[in-house]
Amino acid sequence: MTSMLTASIKKSLLLGTSRAGAQAQNDLPAALQDSVFADATKQADMPESDLWERIAALDLWTRAGAQTLAITSRATAIAADEKLQPCPQQAETKLSLLLQGTYPELRFEWLSLARQYGCHLPYKFLPAMLELGRTQPVFRPYVAAVMGERGKWLARQNPAWNWQADTELVEDELWETGTVEQRLEVLRLSRSKDPELGLTMLQEVWSTEPPEHRIRLIQCLKENLSVADQEFLERALDDKRKEVRTTAQTLLLSLPDSLLELRMRARLDTLLSIRPDITGDTELVVCLPLERDKAMQRDGVGSTTYHGTGEKAGWLLDMLAAVSPLYWSEKWQLSPVQLFALAAKTDYQQVLLTGWATALQTLSARPGMQDNTSPQFEGWCLEFSRLSMHTDSKHRAILSPFVHKILANVQSGFVYEFFMELLAPAQASSNFSVWTILELFQQVAAQKRRLPAALSIAIVAHVRNKLNELTAEFWSLKQVLNTLALVIDPAQLHDYERDWPRADPHWDKWQTTIDDFLALLRFRSEMMHTFLEQQ
Amino acid sequence: MTLSTDQILALAPDASSAKAGSALATASKWSNLGNSDIAVWGECQGSGSTPYRAQIDLREPAFKCSCPSRKFPCKHGLGLFLLYSGKAELFAATAAPQWNLDWLQSREARATKKQETAEEKLQNLTPEKLAQQAEQAQKREEKREAKVARGLQELQTWLEDLAREGFSSLRNAGTAQWDAIAARMVDAQMAPLAGRLSRAGRLAFQTSISDWEEQLAREIAAIYLLIRAYQKIESLTPDLQEDVRSMLGWNQSQDSLLAQAGQVDCWQVVAQKTRDDERVRTRITYLCGKSSGLWAMFLQYAVGTQGFDRPIAVGSEFEGELVFYPGAAPLRALIKDQRNVSVIKEYQFPATQFDAGMQSYARAIAANPFIERLPLSLSGLRLQLDGERGLAILPDQQALHLPENFAYGWQLQAVSGGQPMTLVGEWDGYCFTPLSVQTDRQFLSLESDCLL
């Protein structure tokens, strides 16, 4: 902005009148001189008051005759017409609350609903949402889907928001010169768009990267992992850093029938066998590996120590954990239940169960597992779950964490049926506590997949009926309910709100927790209905 | 009368009240909901044994709740209002409960009594008492004037010292000396000057302002001009004397102002801005008379977590009477009477061309050179944000500067989509600060509708 102050005033202002010397009278515009110097009451020898009065006069004079700036640049083009429809007024109000800090965890759901109903973001919130995408990349796909033409138009004008624009050029440059975080982001993005290109990018720089970068970069291959990556990952098994090797092992085991798994199967085939025992029943014979050669070490055998398990038994566990349990049921034509029974008769029951559970968990985490399950896989999941729920407390403590993760990973019809089975009134009074079930559901809820209506109703009914039994774990009930409230089907609100034991003498202990839980569900339900307004 | 959800939420004293209020806007929390022509009421079960009784006088709106919260309006009032605005069918048009009637009655009684006591006071006084009171007032006034004169003398010397030393070493000295002189102004009963001085001292440390020297120089020069004006206040016109006195901290008695006849109109609330000064929040609301075309400025203060005493939301209008404070270019006003608050259906503020706006600004500062900024609405504006500093582009390829730290540029760009829009804002002679925007689809208050 051009200054309204004259050069001599500026000089006096900065240096001070004591150093800058006297003001030149003709410094002011002619029209002003009279009014400033006509005051008879003024002391002529006061350069200080003179300075302030000159500035005041100049200021008023400038403001009274304010001028506009002439501009030459062309105006920004107008935004294109919107293809999506505006979101309903009430939905806009809900978003405003979410952005101001009410239930920020529901922002994803709002964005998903907007996408589902073909709405674009309210224009006034576009800057806030583009900024959210800039600072939290996890929001980007959600925001991009509902930003509409106006959002794209706006993002093109602000370099900070170009995460949405065509960013290939920027990516190339970032890959060369960016920080580790930026490079990881570029690699992940590249893997999601073109996995082969991503692999090539990584291979080109691999040998020159410092180990601490390699540890992080290799993890990006998780995105769109396929057999095409196997060769590279096999070579990474020879890396000097243990963390790189471990990541490569984990990634390899996520591939079906990987070379690593085949090697482990071959090793185990010599150690485990089925034969008839003296009574004529089948027996599982377990031999421990006698030594650990270089090849085994390379494949990760013995890289972990297990508390309470001998060294060689630990090697066995590592090998079991790398082989899909389905292999054993197919090889020996035995059901999971039969295998559990055989394992129980060996000296290595815990090693066998933990190894199988780890392998099953790895299997359940493979992409696409929840949509594409085989009856064998379902059988293993269900039988393991039942085993963990009905076994003694020692084994339950070992198996439950695996089972929780497996069930959370594979949320689909058969798992939901199993949950309903757990919540059935006859079961619910059986030997495992209400808390065991809630812990399981918390893990399931953490996967953020919306639960079916019937299951949602059953879970809430379970909490409602068992409040009295939850006294010991009461302090963490709030946390569990908060997680559950995000995945329970909000359409069944009416069912959730009724029949709470409000007359119970202990109700005041539970009231806040339950009311908060219901308030969150109510908010979600209202949010969903705001989008239905326009239908 | 009812307001929109956003307007109701804008009445909340803070974000947590807005959140709590919206959580309460659900039928299951309430019992005995009802409404009449002028009020709504309901009972909300809180943590106490008896439910809280919340009620709203829809004419203003005014809130009342039996809960112990010090926030105003409290979450129950907001929740009730939100529920009424969203689901009016839940409210039975039954006879009002006694507690509602009592409250409304007491409000009316208070209003009448206030008026009566003022009149009664005058009537009950004997001429001797009157004379005695006048004498006391005179003494107090003389004492204050002496204090002000001494304070201004001190400030003048301080400012002249500042001119002698120059700005070059200002940043090294810190803000302590500014706070000290501001404190002296508080002692001399000149609170507005104190605020201006401590804010001015902070200009030097705001890295977002590139021309802080010039802005600071202008502010100091304006304060210096005010000192000089007070020194020869006798020579000023009575209106300008009022302006000078009010800028130095003399308050016009609100009661005596409210006793005067005001400007009757349908007033539209079109812009608002709130400033936080440590513990005190100051809110400026601009209103525009539908038939008179007059601008008015309504000033409110709130301390700590308290909300502003009178809820007033941009986008609402009311029929009523505003009394302007005396001055050479009157703008600040008090609300004497407020009826039939409703959502604005058609905005009718004078959207001027820039030249006409500048002429009225020049006239105003010619009448009162102490005016800093005035409300202005300009139509046909577009924004340009890609340069160093944002510009508002007028229809004829001329442009105005936006303030350097203007926070809502992208929000305006987003709602306009590059199409010309009408902006309501403040003009200070150098740059235009938009406060509200009108596009062909909507009218928004930047502060309450757009998020940063």
Side-chain angles (χ1 to χ4, degrees):
Chain A
M1 190 163 143
T2 50
S3 171
M4 59 116 194
L5 299 179
T6 64
S8 87
I9 288 182
K10 260 190 186 161
K11 188 176 158 202
S12 304
L13 199 58
L14 290 180
L15 294 180
T17 51
S18 60
R19 283 179 287 260
Q23 293 281 316
Q25 276 236 2
N26 57 6
D27 191 46
L28 289 180
L32 266 183
Q33 293 195 2
D34 290 348
S35 52
V36 176
F37 299 104
D39 187 352
T41 65
K42 235 168 80 93
Q43 296 175 326
D45 55 347
M46 275 292 284
E48 292 78 28
S49 85
D50 191 48
L51 175 67
W52 295 134
E53 283 178 9
R54 275 164 188 259
I55 295 175
L58 252 181
D59 176 42
L60 283 169
W61 189 74
T62 314
R63 282 157 61 201
Q67 307 267 313
T68 51
L69 315 158
I71 50 158
T72 49
S73 60
R74 279 189 305 145
T76 318
I78 289 166
D81 287 342
E82 212 58 74
K83 297 188 184 88
L84 302 169
Q85 55 182 334
C87 76
Q89 178 58 43
Q90 293 299 322
E92 191 172 314
T93 305
K94 288 283 181 230
L95 178 62
S96 163
L97 287 170
L98 296 180
L99 290 175
Q100 288 177 80
T102 306
Y103 302 128
E105 63 273 32
L106 296 183
R107 292 172 188 179
F108 287 109
E109 188 167 16
W110 192 99
L111 290 165
S112 306
L113 283 166
R115 179 186 201 162
Q116 186 185 336
Y117 289 101
C119 302
H120 63 76
L121 283 165
Y123 295 152
K124 61 182 179 180
F125 295 142
L126 280 172
M129 299 309 282
L130 288 165
E131 195 54 23
L132 193 65
R134 181 181 76 78
T135 52
Q136 299 183 46
V138 55
F139 276 102
R140 288 179 187 177
Y142 292 85
V143 175
V146 294
M147 69 200 288
E149 296 301 316
R150 185 70 59 95
K152 291 179 204 159
W153 173 82
L154 201 63
R156 279 198 295 274
Q157 296 174 55
N158 187 340
W161 298 332
N162 71 0
W163 54 265
Q164 174 47 30
D166 185 12
T167 52
E168 260 172 41
L169 262 179
V170 182
E171 279 167 21
D172 280 352
E173 198 179 315
L174 280 181
W175 180 240
E176 303 283 334
T177 59
T179 62
V180 191
E181 272 70 26
Q182 287 169 327
R183 298 180 65 215
L184 288 169
E185 189 55 37
V186 173
L187 185 59
R188 241 176 257 131
L189 211 68
S190 163
R191 281 290 291 186
S192 66
K193 285 192 289 199
D194 181 355
E196 218 168 304
L197 175 75
L199 178 64
T200 316
M201 281 165 63
L202 185 59
Q203 278 175 322
E204 277 168 4
V205 297
W206 187 250
S207 59
T208 56
E209 292 290 331
E212 57 273 21
H213 288 189
R214 287 210 298 268
I215 296 167
R216 301 181 65 185
L217 286 167
I218 193 173
Q219 287 171 358
C220 297
L221 293 185
K222 198 173 166 194
E223 185 82 36
N224 276 326
L225 184 75
S226 74
V227 186
D229 304 310
Q230 181 160 249
E231 195 191 327
F232 173 77
L233 289 171
E234 277 286 333
R235 270 186 281 129
L237 291 179
D238 295 316
D239 201 277
K240 279 184 192 153
R241 285 292 280 261
K242 187 185 175 192
E243 293 94 329
V244 175
R245 296 199 301 271
T246 316
T247 309
Q249 284 151 12
T250 315
L251 288 171
L252 281 169
L253 290 179
S254 319
L255 291 170
D257 299 324
S258 63
L259 295 171
L260 175 60
E261 185 177 346
L262 295 182
R263 290 198 293 276
M264 292 293 203
R265 278 187 208 165
R267 287 178 190 124
L268 284 172
D269 282 342
T270 64
L271 299 173
L272 302 183
S273 57
I274 293 284
R275 65 173 187 207
D277 67 5
I278 32 175
T279 63
D281 282 347
T282 314
E283 183 188 29
L284 173 59
V285 183
V286 181
C287 306
L288 292 182
L290 295 174
E291 54 176 11
R292 185 171 64 132
D293 58 22
K294 283 249 165 77
M296 285 163 81
Q297 272 188 53
R298 178 179 182 269
D299 287 346
V301 177
S303 58
T304 321
T305 47
Y306 300 94
H307 181 70
T309 306
E311 188 189 36
K312 290 176 181 166
W315 298 346
L316 179 68
L317 204 162
D318 282 335
M319 289 188 255
L320 283 166
V323 175
S324 158
L326 274 60
Y327 171 72
W328 305 113
S329 39
E330 258 169 59
K331 179 179 174 184
W332 295 321
Q333 290 298 304
L334 291 169
S335 70
V337 178
Q338 289 169 316
L339 281 168
F340 298 154
L342 291 178
K345 286 193 279 181
T346 68
D347 294 337
Y348 303 100
Q349 184 190 15
Q350 193 176 318
V351 172
L352 289 164
L353 289 179
T354 316
W356 287 332
T358 317
L360 192 62
Q361 189 194 317
T362 310
L363 189 60
S364 71
R366 278 190 195 159
M369 265 333 255
Q370 69 267 26
D371 317 314
N372 184 22
T373 55
S374 65
Q376 287 78 11
F377 174 69
E378 289 182 15
W380 268 95
C381 293
L382 287 178
E383 292 311 332
F384 238 121
S385 308
R386 290 190 183 120
L387 179 70
S388 86
M389 291 288 176
H390 295 285
T391 186
D392 58 63
S393 60
K394 180 186 152 211
H395 280 100
R396 188 189 301 154
I398 297 168
L399 294 181
S400 289
F402 292 105
V403 167
H404 287 186
K405 285 190 188 121
I406 292 165
L407 293 177
N409 283 342
V410 194
Q411 283 183 49
S412 60
F414 80 94
V415 174
Y416 295 137
E417 278 166 33
F418 173 69
F419 291 155
M420 290 300 280
E421 189 183 304
L422 281 183
L423 292 169
Q427 284 284 359
S429 57
S430 73
N431 61 348
F432 45 86
S433 79
V434 51
W435 191 247
T436 315
I437 297 184
L438 283 182
E439 275 183 327
L440 166 64
F441 283 127
Q442 191 185 13
Q443 295 243 359
V444 168
Q447 299 295 315
K448 305 211 168 114
R449 270 180 233 130
R450 185 187 283 190
L451 301 177
L455 181 59
S456 302
I457 294 173
I459 293 175
V460 178
H462 187 71
V463 175
R464 186 163 46 214
N465 297 335
K466 300 282 176 173
L467 269 181
N468 264 320
E469 293 172 33
L470 282 169
T471 42
E473 297 87 358
F474 181 74
W475 54 275
S476 49
L477 179 64
K478 188 176 176 63
Q479 204 187 343
V480 174
L481 289 185
N482 273 346
T483 328
L484 274 172
L486 295 176
V487 294
I488 283 179
D489 180 5
Q492 315 304 321
L493 184 67
H494 179 69
D495 270 295
Y496 311 144
E497 284 192 317
R498 64 183 189 197
D499 300 337
W500 289 92
R502 291 182 190 272
D504 191 294
H506 299 297
W507 176 249
D508 55 343
K509 264 193 318 190
W510 307 317
Q511 186 178 9
T512 321
T513 303
I514 301 300
D515 280 350
D516 288 351
F517 170 66
L518 292 174
L520 177 51
L521 283 170
R522 203 175 299 121
F523 192 97
R524 288 185 61 219
S525 160
E526 286 166 6
M527 195 164 85
M528 197 178 69
H529 281 103
T530 60
F531 280 96
L532 294 170
E533 252 176 52
Q534 64 185 31
Q535 297 299 302
Chain B
M1 180 285 302
T2 180
L3 297 177
S4 74
T5 310
D6 288 343
Q7 284 169 336
I8 295 168
L9 288 172
L11 303 178
D14 51 37
S16 69
S17 299
K19 179 180 174 179
S22 3
L24 286 177
T26 172
S28 64
K29 299 273 181 190
W30 294 87
S31 53
N32 299 328
L33 292 167
N35 72 317
S36 64
D37 290 344
I38 52 169
V40 289
W41 56 85
E43 296 183 16
C44 182
Q45 186 60 54
S47 47
S49 55
T50 48
Y52 297 128
R53 291 167 168 178
Q55 44 191 329
I56 302 165
D57 182 340
L58 294 170
R59 291 168 295 187
E60 281 198 20
F63 295 83
K64 165 86 176 168
C65 182
S66 62
C67 79
S69 169
R70 279 188 301 274
K71 290 189 178 170
F72 181 82
C74 70
K75 60 182 178 180
H76 307 103
L78 290 168
L80 181 68
F81 209 171
L82 286 167
L83 191 62
Y84 179 65
S85 121
K87 291 179 186 152
E89 67 277 9
L90 293 171
F91 291 74
T94 51
Q98 196 54 43
W99 48 273
N100 175 254
L101 294 175
D102 288 349
W103 177 57
L104 292 174
Q105 222 165 37
S106 74
R107 278 176 59 75
E108 273 156 31
R110 235 186 350 255
T112 337
K113 200 175 169 195
K114 210 172 173 185
Q115 217 170 349
E116 279 171 3
T117 28
E119 285 164 12
E120 268 172 28
K121 258 187 193 168
L122 281 175
Q123 283 169 1
N124 290 344
L125 289 173
T126 58
E128 295 80 34
K129 267 192 178 169
L130 264 175
Q132 199 185 348
Q133 276 191 359
E135 197 183 332
Q136 280 169 350
Q138 174 77 16
K139 268 189 189 159
R140 270 200 308 275
E141 185 54 30
E142 278 168 12
K143 216 170 156 187
R144 179 167 188 181
E145 276 174 5
K147 250 187 189 175
V148 166
R150 272 199 309 276
L152 288 182
Q153 183 61 50
E154 194 179 340
L155 179 60
Q156 187 176 12
T157 311
W158 193 84
L159 293 178
E160 286 166 0
D161 285 348
L162 184 64
R164 206 168 292 122
E165 288 305 310
F167 280 1
S168 51
S169 57
L170 210 56
R171 275 190 168 170
N172 303 335
T175 53
Q177 52 166 341
W178 294 88
D179 293 336
I181 188 73
R184 292 289 303 116
M185 294 304 110
V186 174
D187 295 343
Q189 285 184 284
M190 292 186 284
L193 266 193
R196 286 177 74 172
L197 284 164
S198 53
R199 275 195 298 281
R202 275 162 188 76
L203 268 176
F205 300 94
Q206 284 182 20
T207 45
S208 63
I209 300 175
S210 59
D211 63 341
W212 66 269
E213 287 108 334
E214 186 157 335
Q215 289 195 28
L216 179 59
R218 291 205 309 255
E219 177 66 356
I220 291 172
I223 292 173
Y224 197 83
L225 196 66
L226 193 58
I227 300 174
R228 300 283 286 141
Y230 183 74
Q231 287 166 347
K232 41 184 172 179
I233 194 160
E234 305 300 332
S235 66
L236 304 179
T237 64
D239 278 344
L240 200 50
Q241 289 189 15
E242 289 286 356
D243 287 323
V244 169
R245 286 167 61 84
S246 83
M247 295 201 79
L248 290 176
W250 268 279
N251 283 327
Q252 186 83 29
S253 144
Q254 296 208 352
D255 286 343
S256 71
L257 269 179
L258 288 175
Q260 296 170 18
Q263 181 80 27
V264 178
D265 207 332
C266 173
W267 294 96
Q268 299 196 324
V269 185
V270 293
Q272 198 165 63
K273 68 167 187 177
T274 312
R275 189 177 66 200
D276 258 310
D277 276 340
E278 288 168 19
R279 289 188 60 248
V280 182
R281 278 173 298 142
T282 311
R283 188 163 80 180
I284 289 174
T285 306
Y286 289 112
L287 304 109
C288 200
K290 223 165 151 177
S291 43
S292 64
L294 282 177
W295 284 102
M297 187 255 275
F298 181 59
L299 191 61
Q300 289 170 290
Y301 298 98
V303 182
T305 55
Q306 287 274 328
F308 292 97
D309 56 347
R310 185 194 285 265
I312 181 163
V314 175
S316 64
E317 62 182 9
F318 61 88
E319 286 163 24
E321 198 174 343
L322 259 57
V323 185
F324 284 86
Y325 282 72
L331 180 66
R332 186 175 170 194
L334 282 177
I335 299 175
K336 181 176 179 178
D337 177 34
Q338 187 183 23
R339 278 165 287 115
N340 302 335
V341 181
S342 63
V343 177
I344 300 181
K345 293 202 179 60
E346 191 188 349
Y347 284 85
Q348 284 185 14
F349 50 85
T352 32
Q353 298 299 312
F354 180 72
D355 289 345
M358 285 313 94
Q359 277 171 22
S360 52
Y361 182 77
R363 271 197 301 277
I365 56 174
N368 172 7
F370 304 105
I371 287 175
E372 289 173 77
R373 46 182 62 86
L374 286 180
L376 177 67
S377 66
L378 293 170
S379 52
L381 294 187
R382 284 169 302 119
L383 293 199
Q384 191 174 309
L385 301 171
D386 49 2
E388 238 172 66
R389 187 159 167 191
L391 294 175
I393 317 276
L394 299 163
D396 53 358
Q397 281 302 95
Q398 298 287 306
L400 303 174
H401 278 301
L402 298 173
E404 224 164 356
N405 47 5
F406 183 60
Y408 294 99
W410 289 107
Q411 279 77 359
L412 286 177
Q413 193 75 321
V415 297
S416 72
Q419 302 273 9
M421 58 189 148
T422 298
L423 294 174
V424 184
E426 288 178 326
W427 172 252
D428 68 359
Y430 295 96
C431 62
F432 179 62
T433 310
L435 299 175
S436 301
V437 53
Q438 186 179 35
T439 66
D440 52 355
R441 292 161 48 115
Q442 55 190 345
F443 185 96
L444 298 172
S445 156
L446 297 183
E447 184 177 274
S448 54
D449 294 330
C450 296
L451 300 171
L452 284 177

